[in-house]
Amino acid sequence: MSAGFAETLDWSKGDGLLPLIVQHAHDGRVLMLGYTNSDALALTLDTREVHFWSRSKQRLWRKGESSGHVLALVSIAMDCDRDSLLAQALPAGPTCHRGTPSCFDGDARAHPWLNELETLIAARANGDPASSYVAKLLAAAPARRAQKVGEEGVEVALAAATGDIDGIRSEAADLLFHLLVLLRGAGLPFADVVGELAQRHRDRD
Ligand SMILES: [Zn+2]
């Protein structure tokens, strides 16, 4: 971030305060909205942890200073009018004081259905294997989930090799579903996989 970033911003409208939206750097979910001033912004850029100006406490506030749920800054950008900021960050825990990932209820994530599906799979994990396909897969040995992903991958490849567009769509959906089940079984959040892709993309820049 260039040293002149803060000077470029229009601090006049908000009496030295600018709204700062924080977005999860991997899944796109809006985590919270706070206010920053020039000191809080300088601290954010220096420490790479998101700082705010607390309007209620009238002091600088390092997000997570008491809870430990800090927001590690990935990037920060201004809007078209230079009077609001969007930070991409990786949260160390729930961002909201209520213990929820976001201060906003509902789902504003960039891949909402895949994330929703991940949540549904997690909810079925402890279900009855006799009536729930997901519970049955998750109760089985890891090799069973690995086998399913392998089979679905081959089916995607076969459909692609024969130019079967409907087949590619259907088998790719099966593959993504079983991949999410495999990730659940391995205890790996989908956001970590998206994060891995995003990291590679950033490394290339
Ligand atoms: Zn909150």
Side-chain angles (χ1 to χ4, degrees):
M1 190 60 61
S2 73
F5 181 69
E7 287 74 51
T8 314
L9 295 163
D10 180 0
W11 298 96
S12 60
K13 271 183 234 170
D15 248 350
L17 292 183
L18 292 185
L20 168 62
I21 300 163
V22 183
Q23 184 180 31
H24 194 295
H26 290 167
D27 68 20
R29 175 194 281 247
V30 174
L31 297 174
M32 65 175 292
L33 169 71
Y35 288 83
T36 189
N37 62 10
S38 58
D39 288 342
L41 180 60
L43 280 167
T44 298
L45 294 174
D46 286 350
T47 65
R48 308 302 290 179
E49 284 183 351
V50 179
H51 288 63
F52 296 98
W53 174 258
S54 168
R55 293 178 303 169
S56 50
K57 295 172 189 140
Q58 289 287 302
R59 67 170 178 84
L60 288 169
W61 167 42
R62 181 173 69 96
K63 166 64 188 162
E65 62 187 16
S66 51
S67 67
H69 300 156
V70 297
L71 295 166
L73 184 71
V74 172
S75 67
I76 191 163
M78 66 185 95
D79 78 347
C80 55
D81 294 322
R82 300 178 289 112
D83 61 2
S84 62
L85 294 164
L86 177 65
Q88 303 240 331
L90 293 173
T95 294
C96 185
H97 70 281
R98 302 170 303 173
T100 51
S102 169
C103 285
F104 297 96
D105 293 329
D107 199 333
R109 288 174 288 184
H111 315 285
W113 172 243
L114 277 183
N115 286 286
E116 181 68 20
L117 186 56
E118 181 185 37
T119 305
L120 286 172
I121 287 168
R124 303 254 164 93
N126 299 318
D128 178 8
S131 58
S132 162
Y133 177 63
V134 170
K136 186 177 162 193
L137 274 180
L138 286 169
R144 176 66 186 141
R145 296 184 288 279
Q147 181 195 356
K148 285 307 296 181
V149 168
E151 285 172 6
E152 301 300 344
V154 167
E155 282 167 16
V156 173
L158 286 174
T162 57
D164 175 5
I165 299 300
D166 289 341
I168 294 173
R169 184 187 302 111
S170 165
E171 299 301 345
D174 285 348
L175 176 59
L176 285 174
F177 170 79
H178 286 94
L179 186 59
L180 285 176
V181 175
L182 181 147
L183 290 172
R184 172 69 200 184
L188 196 61
F190 177 58
D192 283 11
V193 178
V194 177
E196 175 74 23
L197 284 169
Q199 183 62 49
R200 288 181 201 171
H201 178 72
R202 281 197 296 276
D203 288 347
R204 270 207 310 275
D205 285 346

